[in-house]
Amino acid sequence: MCGIVGILAQKPVASELYDSLIHLQHRGQDAAGIMTCDRYFHSHIDQGLVREIFDQENIAKLSGNTGIAHVRYPTAGGFSRDEAQPFRVASPYGISLAHNGNLTNQQALIEHLQTKRRRHLNTTSDSECLMHLFADGFHDQPVTDSSTEFFEQICQSIKAVNRLAKGSYSIVSNIIGKGLVAFRDPHGVRPLVMGQRGKDIIFASESTPFFSLSFEVLGDVEPGEVVFVDESGQMFRRILAHQSFHPCVFEYVYFARPDATLNDVSVYRSRLRMGENLAKQWQQRYPNKIPDIVIPVPFTSNTSALSFAKTLGVPYSEGLYKNPFIGRTFIMPENEVRKRSVRYKLTPQVTEINNKNVLLLDDSIVRGTTSREIVRMLRECGAKAVYFVSACPPVKYPCYYGIDIPTEQELIANNKDEQQIEAYLGVDALLYQSEQDLVEAVARKGKYHIDSPCLACMNGDYVCGKGA
């Protein structure tokens, strides 16, 4: 899972790309990069958090009215600085690219690019494969100064990408002397939203940067769609592949910020509905277990816990204080680091917990180590009983589309049934959201045309195929 953004404006874009990355920091903490262009590419890319990598001096060197940027949470390739994005290639024209998603046939693409197209790859990143596939489509095309004709060439190139690449991909790309390109895989697994401010255009993984930069939401780049904005601001759009629409449900459960709107669905509203549906299910299964208080595991669960408590008619409390300067434990690379960071990140408020029947609501239970540690902290603070509910169904299978769940052995729900998980966590009652209720929470309202969210990590139905 990563965050991408591209801006074409009537003024230098580097500072606004930086501001956008700050708003997308939750989507990746490993590395970040900005690449702008005028007649040349200008870039600054490094490992670390956005605020650690960039300063006024290096941002000032990123000239140009067009640019793309990326925050990285690695799911393919290595962890070195060389794997950080955006990538660029000098021929043809000069193309830069940033990618959110994950390819499932990377090795086949590498062989195709190296043996049939004689292209050299500098990294093990699937994003570099995508860039070369995209760039390769222009080599047999005539040079043109017409934006209309060049858009046709873009479409031909992306048709080849859609034919060859398997998996999930949302892309922003800069082509020197031409403009800004954005496109999305035919199933629309990963999000891509666009906005407008006069003649200025922005594409981003979420709409979260738009308000602060005064962009108005134009809507989503549709599944299988390409959007090209030339240097004068003229926009061209076309859907190149019509396939069933399966956006990742985990975006709504966990990854996206609550103020985002993805695929015409409010993340905040969908999480309210998750909590409401979960509370109704709790009342049916545990009519005699009424908690004294509902506490979210902050912050992604706050919204669901709020509606859960309201539906049950019991108090909601932020009984766990979260240190905002500690990173997201789910996307930390090592299990022991995640376990240690829980107590650094979360401080229980004893007065809210002591001598009470506490219901903890979390967005999901993936490995179980974080949940178990939180339950232990509540017991130490004197909780009489601890109930645990998850806004997400059991996560049983690896994700091959951009979430770092690489092996089934890591997933507690793949190795234990609910009774065993309840015992492992040390809770008095456990409840998971049902798949039906989760889909209903996402799909209840909106102008979307979602066939069904991707639930592959929960039910094993891989809409874009499985990785090797």
Side-chain angles (χ1 to χ4, degrees):
M1 184 65 62
C2 299
I4 60 175
V5 59
I7 300 177
L8 185 149
Q10 307 304 306
K11 61 180 181 180
V13 296
S15 63
E16 292 194 333
L17 288 169
Y18 170 82
D19 291 341
S20 298
L21 291 187
I22 290 293
H23 284 284
L24 296 171
Q25 182 72 87
H26 59 286
R27 299 186 67 89
Q29 301 171 4
D30 180 70
I34 294 175
M35 189 171 293
T36 60
C37 74
D38 37 36
R39 294 176 59 195
Y40 308 98
F41 283 127
H42 311 278
S43 66
H44 188 77
I45 301 168
D46 210 341
Q47 292 179 289
L49 299 176
V50 175
R51 67 175 183 269
E52 298 169 344
I53 295 171
F54 298 99
D55 55 34
Q56 288 185 340
E57 182 178 354
N58 57 46
I59 288 176
K61 295 177 181 178
L62 302 176
S63 60
N65 293 359
T66 310
I68 62 176
H70 187 272
V71 286
R72 184 170 191 243
Y73 155 43
T75 57
F79 288 83
S80 73
R81 182 186 178 280
D82 291 337
E83 307 283 335
Q85 299 183 44
F87 289 117
R88 65 180 172 185
V89 64
S91 176
Y93 300 107
I95 295 174
S96 63
L97 181 142
H99 164 222
N100 175 31
N102 203 62
L103 299 184
T104 60
N105 66 332
Q106 181 184 359
Q107 192 56 45
L109 292 177
I110 291 173
E111 293 174 6
H112 168 80
L113 288 166
Q114 291 181 336
T115 61
K116 294 184 178 181
R117 305 306 298 176
R118 298 181 183 179
R119 285 188 167 268
H120 174 71
L121 302 178
N122 285 310
T123 72
T124 58
S125 171
D126 58 343
S127 304
E128 189 186 11
C129 288
L130 276 168
M131 179 185 65
H132 281 286
L133 280 178
F134 180 49
D136 194 61
F138 294 99
H139 272 294
D140 298 328
Q141 301 288 346
V143 175
T144 178
D145 293 326
S146 165
S147 292
T148 301
E149 292 176 1
F150 189 70
F151 178 61
E152 295 300 326
Q153 295 182 6
I154 291 172
C155 290
Q156 291 305 310
S157 178
I158 294 174
K159 283 180 181 178
V161 172
N162 290 340
R163 186 175 66 253
L164 294 168
K166 307 300 179 186
S168 65
Y169 47 93
S170 286
I171 302 289
V172 288
S173 176
N174 236 346
I175 304 177
I176 288 182
K178 298 297 184 181
L180 189 63
V181 180
F183 61 98
R184 199 172 174 193
D185 73 76
H187 288 292
V189 177
R190 293 285 151 235
L192 192 57
V193 188
M194 55 183 168
Q196 188 170 24
R197 182 186 59 198
K199 293 184 177 181
D200 301 344
I201 294 292
I202 186 173
F203 299 97
S205 294
E206 299 179 15
S207 58
T208 46
F210 291 8
F211 178 78
S212 66
L213 300 178
S214 300
F215 281 93
E216 294 185 5
V217 177
L218 279 181
D220 299 272
V221 176
E222 299 296 327
E225 184 179 26
V226 55
V227 183
F228 169 54
V229 185
D230 69 15
E231 291 187 314
S232 70
Q234 185 178 8
M235 180 182 289
F236 303 80
R237 302 181 65 172
R238 185 179 301 169
I239 294 177
L240 301 177
H242 296 269
Q243 296 188 25
S244 52
F245 186 15
H246 301 287
C248 174
V249 79
F250 228 64
E251 291 279 355
Y252 299 95
V253 170
Y254 175 78
F255 274 107
R257 235 170 59 174
D259 55 326
T261 297
L262 306 176
N263 309 303
D264 286 318
V265 176
S266 163
V267 174
Y268 180 79
R269 291 289 179 180
S270 70
R271 289 179 184 171
L272 285 176
R273 295 191 287 265
M274 288 176 205
E276 177 189 356
N277 290 347
L278 196 54
K280 292 176 180 177
Q281 190 180 346
W282 178 270
Q283 290 172 321
Q284 292 176 358
R285 184 178 296 189
Y286 301 112
N288 299 320
K289 293 184 186 293
I290 308 299
D292 297 317
I293 198 166
V294 173
I295 295 177
V297 178
F299 290 118
T300 49
S301 304
N302 290 25
T303 308
S304 296
L306 187 65
S307 60
F308 186 102
K310 180 180 179 181
T311 304
L312 248 59
V314 301
Y316 164 91
S317 172
E318 296 182 359
L320 292 170
Y321 171 73
K322 181 178 180 180
N323 184 336
F325 301 103
I326 303 294
R328 301 178 85 166
T329 55
F330 177 76
I331 60 176
M332 289 181 174
E334 299 295 338
N335 195 43
E336 286 302 316
V337 175
R338 281 193 299 272
K339 288 173 66 176
R340 286 199 311 272
S341 70
V342 172
R343 288 179 180 257
Y344 298 154
K345 181 175 72 172
L346 298 176
T347 303
Q349 301 197 60
V350 178
T351 55
E352 296 294 296
I353 297 165
N354 185 44
N355 204 34
K356 291 179 182 176
N357 297 319
V358 178
L359 186 143
L360 270 176
L361 192 152
D362 204 353
D363 50 66
S364 59
I365 305 170
V366 179
R367 298 168 178 88
T369 51
T370 298
S371 303
R372 187 182 191 186
E373 193 65 27
I374 294 170
V375 171
R376 186 177 297 163
M377 290 188 333
L378 296 192
R379 297 288 191 190
E380 292 171 0
C381 291
K384 286 197 301 183
V386 180
Y387 311 133
F388 204 109
V389 296
S390 169
C392 177
V395 178
K396 297 181 179 180
Y397 304 99
C399 174
Y400 298 106
Y401 306 145
I403 300 174
D404 189 17
I405 309 174
T407 64
E408 295 180 358
Q409 287 71 28
E410 290 187 71
L411 306 176
I412 189 171
N414 184 272
N415 300 291
K416 293 179 170 61
D417 60 28
E418 287 194 28
Q419 188 174 1
Q420 291 172 321
I421 295 172
E422 186 176 277
Y424 174 82
L425 298 182
V427 296
D428 299 284
L430 172 68
L431 180 67
Y432 282 99
Q433 183 93 263
S434 70
E435 287 185 21
Q436 180 180 354
D437 282 349
L438 177 59
V439 172
E440 194 279 335
V442 173
R444 185 185 301 178
K445 292 183 179 180
K447 297 179 291 184
Y448 56 83
H449 301 285
I450 298 172
D451 292 290
S452 66
C454 176
L455 301 162
C457 60
M458 303 160 203
N459 60 20
D461 182 11
Y462 294 99
V463 296
C464 301
K466 294 173 65 174

